[in-house]
Amino acid sequence: MKIGRFNDGRIGVIVGDTIVDVSAACGVDPAEWPPVGIIRVIANFERLRPAIERAAAGPGVPLSAVRLEPPITWPRNLLALPNNFADHSAEMQGRSYAGAGNSLGANAAGFFMKAGSSIVGPSDVIRIPDMPEREFHYECELAIVIGKPATNVTAAEALDHIFGYACLIDVTMRGKEERVMRKSITSFTPIGPWITTADEVGPTDDLELQLWVNGALRQHAFAREMIVGIREAVELCSSIMTLEPGDIIASGTMAGVGPLTAGDSVRIAIDNVGSMTLPVEAAKPLRFSFAGHLQ
Ligand code: MN
């Protein structure tokens, strides 16, 4: 099943090139705040699934006639893996950027966090601060969406705790500041275009992740190339914290990262999951100056 959000918080199931409003079948009030109805749907999916499938058999509207929103906007945890493809770690070795090199270099392991408030959706815009002295990069990633609470889950058990997958762009300001800050700028985590449930995605080893800028392919890899694989990522993260339904783990990116500038168009696609294209616009420079704080 492909399930997402559209038109101010409605829950929709994507059927071909249409979307069917299943908000009522899910018991979700689109006007609720905070907008966490989709997380309740994920948490209760096995119980709700028959009613959702009955509703999804009804009439839909063309996808082109709605505004798709990020499938999840308020995850409790938005986690991401660094240096998880060998070719990307290699390309980052020895690089330095204005504001100095990466704070942790290409050897960092484990995971980091991005702010949930950096999430935008497939109909949104990536807004890059107008700071010509800095580089702002795209990173093509797979979003792993947790379906069931997970504490100290083994890799062998991990698939039981995964709800589905989505495309995720980990937009990143290069530089020496804390990674979490450079990656948490508003609009720096596009997720979408919806969540495809794990049963519909099927085996993940051959999933191909691809990203284009202005129509030119910049990144591509297969999920099997992840150093910490999908199952191991759940084991790793759940060994540190309890993962909850709706939590997201970003896979890490592959070689080919590069700068985004205003006017660009970024497309990300993952087999059996979906694709989305976002424009890039300029935003005001970051108000705070870091120059005097860096050593
Ligand atoms: Mn990344």
Side-chain angles (χ1 to χ4, degrees):
M1 183 184 293
K2 294 179 169 68
I3 189 164
R5 295 171 62 259
F6 72 106
N7 289 4
D8 296 321
R10 297 184 174 281
I11 308 296
V13 171
I14 292 79
V15 181
D17 55 5
T18 69
I19 186 166
V20 183
D21 189 339
V22 298
S23 304
C26 293
V28 169
D29 173 6
E32 74 173 356
W33 192 91
V36 291
I38 187 70
I39 292 176
R40 291 198 305 276
V41 173
I42 292 169
N44 298 305
F45 191 68
E46 286 180 13
R47 176 171 63 78
L48 290 172
R49 186 165 193 157
I52 295 173
E53 288 179 339
R54 279 194 300 277
V61 297
L63 274 170
S64 58
V66 306
R67 185 177 193 284
L68 285 173
E69 295 169 342
I72 296 171
T73 55
W74 284 57
R76 179 171 160 100
N77 290 305
L78 174 56
L79 311 175
L81 305 177
N83 303 315
N84 205 29
F85 288 79
D87 57 359
H88 174 60
S89 292
E91 75 175 348
M92 298 303 282
Q93 289 284 356
R95 277 199 199 182
S96 66
Y97 293 96
N102 279 347
S103 57
L104 297 172
N107 296 317
F111 63 84
F112 60 92
M113 306 187 77
K114 298 192 75 169
S117 54
S118 66
I119 293 173
V120 292
S123 306
D124 291 319
V125 172
I126 298 170
R127 293 176 56 77
I128 301 289
D130 185 13
M131 299 167 68
E133 73 280 16
R134 302 299 296 257
E135 286 191 24
F136 297 86
H137 283 195
Y138 54 82
E139 294 188 353
C140 172
E141 310 205 6
L142 173 73
I144 305 162
V145 180
I146 297 299
K148 294 177 183 169
T151 305
N152 280 323
V153 164
T154 66
E157 301 164 330
L159 295 186
D160 291 339
H161 297 265
I162 295 176
F163 176 72
Y165 303 93
C167 302
L168 185 150
I169 305 174
D170 176 17
V171 184
T172 302
M173 179 171 79
R174 297 297 178 205
K176 190 177 180 181
E177 301 88 356
E178 283 287 349
R179 175 183 254 135
V180 64
M181 190 194 79
R182 293 183 285 105
K183 290 172 172 282
S184 289
I185 296 170
T186 300
S187 83
F188 273 28
T189 311
I191 299 177
W194 43 69
I195 304 163
T196 304
T197 53
D199 61 318
E200 183 159 327
V201 171
T204 53
D205 280 356
D206 293 336
L207 275 189
E208 188 170 17
L209 291 69
Q210 299 180 91
L211 182 143
W212 297 258
V213 178
N214 303 329
L217 183 65
R218 301 290 191 189
Q219 292 187 281
H220 67 93
F222 295 94
R224 62 173 175 270
E225 298 174 55
M226 293 169 64
I227 295 168
V228 177
I230 291 171
R231 296 172 182 80
E232 290 76 17
V234 174
E235 178 175 304
L236 164 67
C237 296
S238 76
S239 74
I240 301 294
M241 57 185 39
T242 295
L243 302 175
E244 298 286 355
D247 281 1
I248 295 166
I249 306 172
S251 65
T253 199
M254 66 290 310
V257 299
L260 289 173
T261 54
D264 285 343
S265 173
V266 189
R267 177 168 186 257
I268 181 172
I270 300 176
D271 291 341
N272 296 348
V273 174
S275 71
M276 58 182 184
T277 303
L278 285 86
V280 179
E281 293 181 358
K284 288 181 181 175
L286 300 176
R287 176 177 297 277
F288 190 80
S289 170
F290 308 103
H293 300 259
L294 294 174
Q295 301 183 2

mmCIF file with all atom_site columns, all heavy atoms in Angstrom, residues 80-82 88 112 139 141 170 172 183 250-253, ligand 1:
data_model
loop_
_atom_site.group_PDB
_atom_site.id
_atom_site.type_symbol
_atom_site.label_atom_id
_atom_site.label_alt_id
_atom_site.label_comp_id
_atom_site.label_asym_id
_atom_site.label_entity_id
_atom_site.label_seq_id
_atom_site.pdbx_PDB_ins_code
_atom_site.Cartn_x
_atom_site.Cartn_y
_atom_site.Cartn_z
_atom_site.occupancy
_atom_site.B_iso_or_equiv
_atom_site.pdbx_formal_charge
_atom_site.auth_seq_id
_atom_site.auth_comp_id
_atom_site.auth_asym_id
_atom_site.auth_atom_id
_atom_site.pdbx_PDB_model_num
ATOM   1   N  N   . ALA A 1 80  ? 19.594 9.595  11.199 1.00 0.00 ? 80  ALA A N   1
ATOM   2   C  CA  . ALA A 1 80  ? 20.265 9.430  9.904  1.00 0.00 ? 80  ALA A CA  1
ATOM   3   C  C   . ALA A 1 80  ? 21.641 8.829  10.113 1.00 0.00 ? 80  ALA A C   1
ATOM   4   O  O   . ALA A 1 80  ? 22.318 9.107  11.111 1.00 0.00 ? 80  ALA A O   1
ATOM   5   C  CB  . ALA A 1 80  ? 20.381 10.778 9.190  1.00 0.00 ? 80  ALA A CB  1
ATOM   6   N  N   . LEU A 1 81  ? 22.035 8.013  9.150  1.00 0.00 ? 81  LEU A N   1
ATOM   7   C  CA  . LEU A 1 81  ? 23.325 7.331  9.223  1.00 0.00 ? 81  LEU A CA  1
ATOM   8   C  C   . LEU A 1 81  ? 24.359 8.125  8.432  1.00 0.00 ? 81  LEU A C   1
ATOM   9   O  O   . LEU A 1 81  ? 24.100 8.509  7.288  1.00 0.00 ? 81  LEU A O   1
ATOM   10  C  CB  . LEU A 1 81  ? 23.218 5.922  8.645  1.00 0.00 ? 81  LEU A CB  1
ATOM   11  C  CG  . LEU A 1 81  ? 22.126 5.040  9.266  1.00 0.00 ? 81  LEU A CG  1
ATOM   12  C  CD1 . LEU A 1 81  ? 22.084 3.692  8.561  1.00 0.00 ? 81  LEU A CD1 1
ATOM   13  C  CD2 . LEU A 1 81  ? 22.377 4.846  10.754 1.00 0.00 ? 81  LEU A CD2 1
ATOM   14  N  N   . PRO A 1 82  ? 25.536 8.380  9.004  1.00 0.00 ? 82  PRO A N   1
ATOM   15  C  CA  . PRO A 1 82  ? 26.606 9.035  8.256  1.00 0.00 ? 82  PRO A CA  1
ATOM   16  C  C   . PRO A 1 82  ? 27.495 7.995  7.581  1.00 0.00 ? 82  PRO A C   1
ATOM   17  O  O   . PRO A 1 82  ? 27.574 6.842  8.035  1.00 0.00 ? 82  PRO A O   1
ATOM   18  C  CB  . PRO A 1 82  ? 27.380 9.760  9.352  1.00 0.00 ? 82  PRO A CB  1
ATOM   19  C  CG  . PRO A 1 82  ? 27.270 8.836  10.533 1.00 0.00 ? 82  PRO A CG  1
ATOM   20  C  CD  . PRO A 1 82  ? 25.907 8.150  10.410 1.00 0.00 ? 82  PRO A CD  1
ATOM   21  N  N   . HIS A 1 88  ? 30.887 7.174  -0.970 1.00 0.00 ? 88  HIS A N   1
ATOM   22  C  CA  . HIS A 1 88  ? 30.679 8.534  -0.453 1.00 0.00 ? 88  HIS A CA  1
ATOM   23  C  C   . HIS A 1 88  ? 31.724 8.868  0.613  1.00 0.00 ? 88  HIS A C   1
ATOM   24  O  O   . HIS A 1 88  ? 32.281 9.974  0.622  1.00 0.00 ? 88  HIS A O   1
ATOM   25  C  CB  . HIS A 1 88  ? 29.275 8.689  0.127  1.00 0.00 ? 88  HIS A CB  1
ATOM   26  C  CG  . HIS A 1 88  ? 29.042 10.013 0.802  1.00 0.00 ? 88  HIS A CG  1
ATOM   27  N  ND1 . HIS A 1 88  ? 29.159 11.217 0.124  1.00 0.00 ? 88  HIS A ND1 1
ATOM   28  C  CD2 . HIS A 1 88  ? 28.730 10.335 2.079  1.00 0.00 ? 88  HIS A CD2 1
ATOM   29  C  CE1 . HIS A 1 88  ? 28.908 12.212 0.974  1.00 0.00 ? 88  HIS A CE1 1
ATOM   30  N  NE2 . HIS A 1 88  ? 28.656 11.710 2.164  1.00 0.00 ? 88  HIS A NE2 1
ATOM   31  N  N   . PHE A 1 112 ? 23.153 10.155 13.613 1.00 0.00 ? 112 PHE A N   1
ATOM   32  C  CA  . PHE A 1 112 ? 22.920 11.501 14.144 1.00 0.00 ? 112 PHE A CA  1
ATOM   33  C  C   . PHE A 1 112 ? 21.437 11.803 14.008 1.00 0.00 ? 112 PHE A C   1
ATOM   34  O  O   . PHE A 1 112 ? 20.666 10.967 13.537 1.00 0.00 ? 112 PHE A O   1
ATOM   35  C  CB  . PHE A 1 112 ? 23.793 12.540 13.419 1.00 0.00 ? 112 PHE A CB  1
ATOM   36  C  CG  . PHE A 1 112 ? 23.558 12.629 11.937 1.00 0.00 ? 112 PHE A CG  1
ATOM   37  C  CD1 . PHE A 1 112 ? 22.641 13.526 11.415 1.00 0.00 ? 112 PHE A CD1 1
ATOM   38  C  CD2 . PHE A 1 112 ? 24.270 11.822 11.045 1.00 0.00 ? 112 PHE A CD2 1
ATOM   39  C  CE1 . PHE A 1 112 ? 22.430 13.613 10.049 1.00 0.00 ? 112 PHE A CE1 1
ATOM   40  C  CE2 . PHE A 1 112 ? 24.065 11.902 9.679  1.00 0.00 ? 112 PHE A CE2 1
ATOM   41  C  CZ  . PHE A 1 112 ? 23.137 12.797 9.180  1.00 0.00 ? 112 PHE A CZ  1
ATOM   42  N  N   . GLU A 1 139 ? 21.734 15.113 -0.670 1.00 0.00 ? 139 GLU A N   1
ATOM   43  C  CA  . GLU A 1 139 ? 22.148 13.736 -0.363 1.00 0.00 ? 139 GLU A CA  1
ATOM   44  C  C   . GLU A 1 139 ? 20.936 12.833 -0.561 1.00 0.00 ? 139 GLU A C   1
ATOM   45  O  O   . GLU A 1 139 ? 19.922 12.981 0.125  1.00 0.00 ? 139 GLU A O   1
ATOM   46  C  CB  . GLU A 1 139 ? 22.671 13.627 1.083  1.00 0.00 ? 139 GLU A CB  1
ATOM   47  C  CG  . GLU A 1 139 ? 23.963 14.407 1.334  1.00 0.00 ? 139 GLU A CG  1
ATOM   48  C  CD  . GLU A 1 139 ? 24.564 14.133 2.705  1.00 0.00 ? 139 GLU A CD  1
ATOM   49  O  OE1 . GLU A 1 139 ? 23.925 13.445 3.522  1.00 0.00 ? 139 GLU A OE1 1
ATOM   50  O  OE2 . GLU A 1 139 ? 25.691 14.628 2.952  1.00 0.00 ? 139 GLU A OE2 1
ATOM   51  N  N   . GLU A 1 141 ? 18.755 9.650  -0.181 1.00 0.00 ? 141 GLU A N   1
ATOM   52  C  CA  . GLU A 1 141 ? 18.693 8.631  0.863  1.00 0.00 ? 141 GLU A CA  1
ATOM   53  C  C   . GLU A 1 141 ? 17.345 7.902  0.862  1.00 0.00 ? 141 GLU A C   1
ATOM   54  O  O   . GLU A 1 141 ? 16.343 8.410  0.369  1.00 0.00 ? 141 GLU A O   1
ATOM   55  C  CB  . GLU A 1 141 ? 18.948 9.278  2.239  1.00 0.00 ? 141 GLU A CB  1
ATOM   56  C  CG  . GLU A 1 141 ? 20.216 10.145 2.223  1.00 0.00 ? 141 GLU A CG  1
ATOM   57  C  CD  . GLU A 1 141 ? 20.893 10.350 3.554  1.00 0.00 ? 141 GLU A CD  1
ATOM   58  O  OE1 . GLU A 1 141 ? 20.465 9.720  4.543  1.00 0.00 ? 141 GLU A OE1 1
ATOM   59  O  OE2 . GLU A 1 141 ? 21.869 11.131 3.583  1.00 0.00 ? 141 GLU A OE2 1
ATOM   60  N  N   . ASP A 1 170 ? 18.641 14.418 2.281  1.00 0.00 ? 170 ASP A N   1
ATOM   61  C  CA  . ASP A 1 170 ? 19.300 14.961 3.476  1.00 0.00 ? 170 ASP A CA  1
ATOM   62  C  C   . ASP A 1 170 ? 20.118 16.174 3.036  1.00 0.00 ? 170 ASP A C   1
ATOM   63  O  O   . ASP A 1 170 ? 21.318 16.072 2.786  1.00 0.00 ? 170 ASP A O   1
ATOM   64  C  CB  . ASP A 1 170 ? 20.182 13.873 4.101  1.00 0.00 ? 170 ASP A CB  1
ATOM   65  C  CG  . ASP A 1 170 ? 20.989 14.369 5.291  1.00 0.00 ? 170 ASP A CG  1
ATOM   66  O  OD1 . ASP A 1 170 ? 20.651 15.437 5.841  1.00 0.00 ? 170 ASP A OD1 1
ATOM   67  O  OD2 . ASP A 1 170 ? 21.968 13.681 5.655  1.00 0.00 ? 170 ASP A OD2 1
ATOM   68  N  N   . THR A 1 172 ? 22.240 19.425 3.257  1.00 0.00 ? 172 THR A N   1
ATOM   69  C  CA  . THR A 1 172 ? 23.308 19.619 4.234  1.00 0.00 ? 172 THR A CA  1
ATOM   70  C  C   . THR A 1 172 ? 24.110 20.871 3.919  1.00 0.00 ? 172 THR A C   1
ATOM   71  O  O   . THR A 1 172 ? 24.570 21.048 2.785  1.00 0.00 ? 172 THR A O   1
ATOM   72  C  CB  . THR A 1 172 ? 24.271 18.408 4.207  1.00 0.00 ? 172 THR A CB  1
ATOM   73  O  OG1 . THR A 1 172 ? 23.529 17.222 4.486  1.00 0.00 ? 172 THR A OG1 1
ATOM   74  C  CG2 . THR A 1 172 ? 25.394 18.565 5.201  1.00 0.00 ? 172 THR A CG2 1
ATOM   75  N  N   . LYS A 1 183 ? 22.254 20.364 9.241  1.00 0.00 ? 183 LYS A N   1
ATOM   76  C  CA  . LYS A 1 183 ? 21.291 19.530 8.524  1.00 0.00 ? 183 LYS A CA  1
ATOM   77  C  C   . LYS A 1 183 ? 19.855 19.781 8.950  1.00 0.00 ? 183 LYS A C   1
ATOM   78  O  O   . LYS A 1 183 ? 18.949 19.101 8.471  1.00 0.00 ? 183 LYS A O   1
ATOM   79  C  CB  . LYS A 1 183 ? 21.644 18.055 8.734  1.00 0.00 ? 183 LYS A CB  1
ATOM   80  C  CG  . LYS A 1 183 ? 22.937 17.625 8.015  1.00 0.00 ? 183 LYS A CG  1
ATOM   81  C  CD  . LYS A 1 183 ? 23.351 16.220 8.420  1.00 0.00 ? 183 LYS A CD  1
ATOM   82  C  CE  . LYS A 1 183 ? 24.510 15.693 7.576  1.00 0.00 ? 183 LYS A CE  1
ATOM   83  N  NZ  . LYS A 1 183 ? 24.089 15.239 6.243  1.00 0.00 ? 183 LYS A NZ  1
ATOM   84  N  N   . ALA A 1 250 ? 17.203 7.619  8.173  1.00 0.00 ? 250 ALA A N   1
ATOM   85  C  CA  . ALA A 1 250 ? 17.696 7.878  6.817  1.00 0.00 ? 250 ALA A CA  1
ATOM   86  C  C   . ALA A 1 250 ? 18.948 7.058  6.576  1.00 0.00 ? 250 ALA A C   1
ATOM   87  O  O   . ALA A 1 250 ? 19.820 6.946  7.439  1.00 0.00 ? 250 ALA A O   1
ATOM   88  C  CB  . ALA A 1 250 ? 17.973 9.366  6.628  1.00 0.00 ? 250 ALA A CB  1
ATOM   89  N  N   . SER A 1 251 ? 19.036 6.495  5.384  1.00 0.00 ? 251 SER A N   1
ATOM   90  C  CA  . SER A 1 251 ? 20.017 5.439  5.085  1.00 0.00 ? 251 SER A CA  1
ATOM   91  C  C   . SER A 1 251 ? 21.459 5.902  5.004  1.00 0.00 ? 251 SER A C   1
ATOM   92  O  O   . SER A 1 251 ? 22.376 5.096  5.046  1.00 0.00 ? 251 SER A O   1
ATOM   93  C  CB  . SER A 1 251 ? 19.668 4.798  3.746  1.00 0.00 ? 251 SER A CB  1
ATOM   94  O  OG  . SER A 1 251 ? 19.814 5.743  2.680  1.00 0.00 ? 251 SER A OG  1
ATOM   95  N  N   . GLY A 1 252 ? 21.685 7.218  4.864  1.00 0.00 ? 252 GLY A N   1
ATOM   96  C  CA  . GLY A 1 252 ? 23.000 7.679  4.436  1.00 0.00 ? 252 GLY A CA  1
ATOM   97  C  C   . GLY A 1 252 ? 23.039 7.728  2.920  1.00 0.00 ? 252 GLY A C   1
ATOM   98  O  O   . GLY A 1 252 ? 22.205 7.102  2.248  1.00 0.00 ? 252 GLY A O   1
ATOM   99  N  N   . THR A 1 253 ? 24.007 8.475  2.404  1.00 0.00 ? 253 THR A N   1
ATOM   100 C  CA  . THR A 1 253 ? 24.020 8.722  0.965  1.00 0.00 ? 253 THR A CA  1
ATOM   101 C  C   . THR A 1 253 ? 25.234 8.097  0.295  1.00 0.00 ? 253 THR A C   1
ATOM   102 O  O   . THR A 1 253 ? 26.185 7.670  0.950  1.00 0.00 ? 253 THR A O   1
ATOM   103 C  CB  . THR A 1 253 ? 23.964 10.240 0.675  1.00 0.00 ? 253 THR A CB  1
ATOM   104 O  OG1 . THR A 1 253 ? 23.531 10.450 -0.668 1.00 0.00 ? 253 THR A OG1 1
ATOM   105 C  CG2 . THR A 1 253 ? 25.334 10.900 0.883  1.00 0.00 ? 253 THR A CG2 1
HETATM 106 MN MN  . MN  B 2 .   ? 23.123 12.093 4.832  1.00 0.00 ? 1   MN  B MN  1
#
